[in-house]
Amino acid sequence: MRKHPLSIVVSVVIFGHALCAVGQTSNQTASNEFNEKGARERNSVEENRSPWAGEEAKKLYKMGVKYGKAKLFRQAAESFQKAVELKPDFADAHYGLGHAYFDLKRWKDAIQALERTLELNPKDADAYSMLGEAYMFLRRESNGASEVEPRKKQNASGEPVSLTSSIPEVTNPAEPAAPKSDEDLTRIYRVGVGDVLDIRLGPTSAQSTLSTVTPTGLLEHPNLAEPLPVAGLTVDEISGEIEADLKRRELHDKPSVSVGVRDYLSHTILVSGLVKDPGTKILRREAIPLYVVIADAQPLAEASRATLVRHDSNEIIEIDLSDARQMNRLVQPGDVITLQAHTTQYVY
């Protein structure tokens, strides 16, 4: 039987499509196999590289700390930068990098590194403190104001720590100087009831005595003739009071007293509402910006506004989370912050 020419053409076309489909399937299978093989090879390389990278990053971090202690801040920044390149999730190295940039007065770079630190470790209080001070100095620099030299500080082990504990000079320790501006509130801490103080008589390496501020605001110490009222004083003012007492009773000709806060317990605020980490938060300053508080509490995606209730006046303040000016408002001990979703309003 003779086939019609048109049917022959159709058969050829169908057969051709079938061959193409088979070819595409074969190529796709080969491509998938190639991709899977490449992925396995890359994963194998990452697995082999990760332990080495982690150890090398730790060495670079320790080197950066040594450079920082020697005040070689540029070299410290270079070491920390290499460490975070090898291990991007190394929070301590990001903090060290931010610290080095802070010492170099490179405020923008410091802010970037410290914000990355807080992304990796949202509860790093020292990073929050330094971040707030970096923003303050950047703002002063942008406004052309006279630059204030931040005081350098180390902890007992010599590790670099937050620089935000610089205290204004006080002429008479018995009369605390009132803060001159809101910026001063973010830089000082006045001791309160329940705080645990670390008191050392003599060199900073001398044996310390831990004392808790009593419910009446007094400090009791074996070397004091009587309990000392300390509530509302800074640690420098308390040191001056103890030195004056020892000198007055002629126990020491040139007494040297060092006072620090071991546990911050008296300055608290409450955060609630649409946050991942609600509850009581402890402040290490007389006041901190609202954006720091909210960042620490980790707001949920649907949160768009906050209600701030002032402890001292019961004033209720509504704040738009997208308004940078409102987010710079200072939060003080006893304040209550509640994050809420946007309220839909209907206009008729």
Side-chain angles (χ1 to χ4, degrees):
M1 181 177 177
R2 188 175 178 181
K3 292 186 177 179
H4 194 278
L6 180 59
S7 63
I8 295 175
V9 173
V10 172
S11 300
V12 171
V13 172
I14 294 174
F15 181 72
H17 281 295
L19 287 177
C20 290
V22 171
Q24 290 176 355
T25 303
S26 177
N27 290 337
Q28 184 176 4
T29 302
S31 177
N32 290 338
E33 291 176 353
F34 176 81
N35 290 335
E36 291 174 359
K37 180 181 179 182
R40 288 195 298 270
E41 290 176 351
R42 287 193 298 273
N43 291 337
S44 177
V45 171
E46 289 295 328
E47 290 173 358
N48 292 331
R49 189 175 68 87
S50 295
W52 171 85
E55 291 301 320
E56 188 66 20
K58 290 180 181 178
K59 292 179 182 178
L60 288 166
Y61 170 76
K62 292 179 180 179
M63 186 179 300
V65 172
K66 291 180 180 179
Y67 280 135
K69 291 179 182 179
K71 301 187 183 300
L72 300 174
F73 304 127
R74 181 180 60 80
Q75 292 88 334
E78 291 175 356
S79 294
F80 290 130
Q81 181 63 48
K82 292 177 181 177
V84 299
E85 288 174 358
L86 288 173
K87 189 173 175 57
D89 61 345
F90 196 177
D92 288 343
H94 283 285
Y95 175 76
L97 181 61
H99 197 298
Y101 282 144
F102 188 99
D103 290 324
L104 291 169
K105 302 177 184 177
R106 293 170 54 177
W107 312 125
K108 291 182 179 180
D109 292 332
I111 289 169
Q112 183 178 359
L114 293 169
E115 287 180 342
R116 178 59 179 151
T117 303
L118 294 171
E119 289 177 6
L120 297 169
N121 183 12
K123 295 185 179 297
D124 191 331
D126 288 335
Y128 276 115
S129 298
M130 188 178 295
L131 178 62
E133 194 168 5
Y135 270 116
M136 180 187 69
F137 283 109
L138 177 62
R139 185 168 62 251
R140 287 185 178 182
E141 189 177 82
S142 300
N143 294 337
S146 59
E147 188 176 45
V148 178
E149 183 70 20
R151 188 175 72 173
K152 308 298 185 296
K153 179 183 174 183
Q154 291 181 340
N155 61 16
S157 62
E159 298 276 344
V161 297
S162 173
L163 308 181
T164 53
S165 59
S166 179
I167 308 293
E169 293 292 333
V170 179
T171 305
N172 184 0
E175 299 177 5
K180 297 180 180 179
S181 67
D182 287 346
E183 287 183 352
D184 289 334
L185 292 175
T186 64
R187 301 177 60 197
I188 66 172
Y189 181 85
R190 297 195 179 280
V191 170
V193 173
D195 288 339
V196 180
L197 303 183
D198 184 340
I199 303 172
R200 299 171 187 265
L201 303 182
T204 55
S205 59
Q207 185 176 2
S208 67
T209 300
L210 298 181
S211 301
T212 302
V213 180
T214 68
T216 55
L218 300 177
L219 172 64
E220 299 175 345
H221 190 272
N223 291 82
L224 291 172
E226 57 185 12
L228 177 67
V230 296
L233 301 181
T234 66
V235 290
D236 281 1
E237 293 165 357
I238 295 172
S239 299
E241 288 285 349
I242 297 176
E243 289 177 357
D245 179 74
L246 296 177
K247 191 173 182 179
R248 183 170 56 252
R249 292 185 291 128
E250 299 182 350
L251 297 181
H252 294 275
D253 292 334
K254 295 182 179 179
S256 175
V257 180
S258 173
V259 179
V261 181
R262 173 63 66 88
D263 294 326
Y264 296 80
L265 299 174
S266 65
H267 291 28
T268 61
I269 60 174
L270 179 63
V271 182
S272 62
L274 299 176
V275 294
K276 294 181 181 179
D277 187 18
T280 301
K281 310 292 181 182
I282 296 177
L283 305 186
R284 297 190 178 190
R285 296 292 179 271
E286 289 303 298
I288 60 175
L290 177 62
Y291 70 84
V292 174
V293 175
I294 292 179
D296 177 67
Q298 304 176 56
L300 301 180
E302 57 267 34
S304 62
R305 62 190 184 93
T307 300
L308 172 63
V309 181
R310 289 294 191 195
H311 170 69
D312 53 355
S313 62
N314 286 327
E315 179 187 6
I316 299 177
I317 305 170
E318 296 293 336
I319 296 168
D320 184 350
L321 300 186
S322 63
D323 188 334
R325 183 181 59 83
Q326 294 185 49
M327 292 291 283
N328 279 322
R329 187 183 295 271
L330 294 183
V331 175
Q332 298 180 349
D335 290 350
V336 177
I337 302 100
T338 305
L339 269 68
Q340 301 168 337
H342 179 71
T343 302
T344 303
Q345 296 181 349
Y346 298 94
V347 178
Y348 298 93

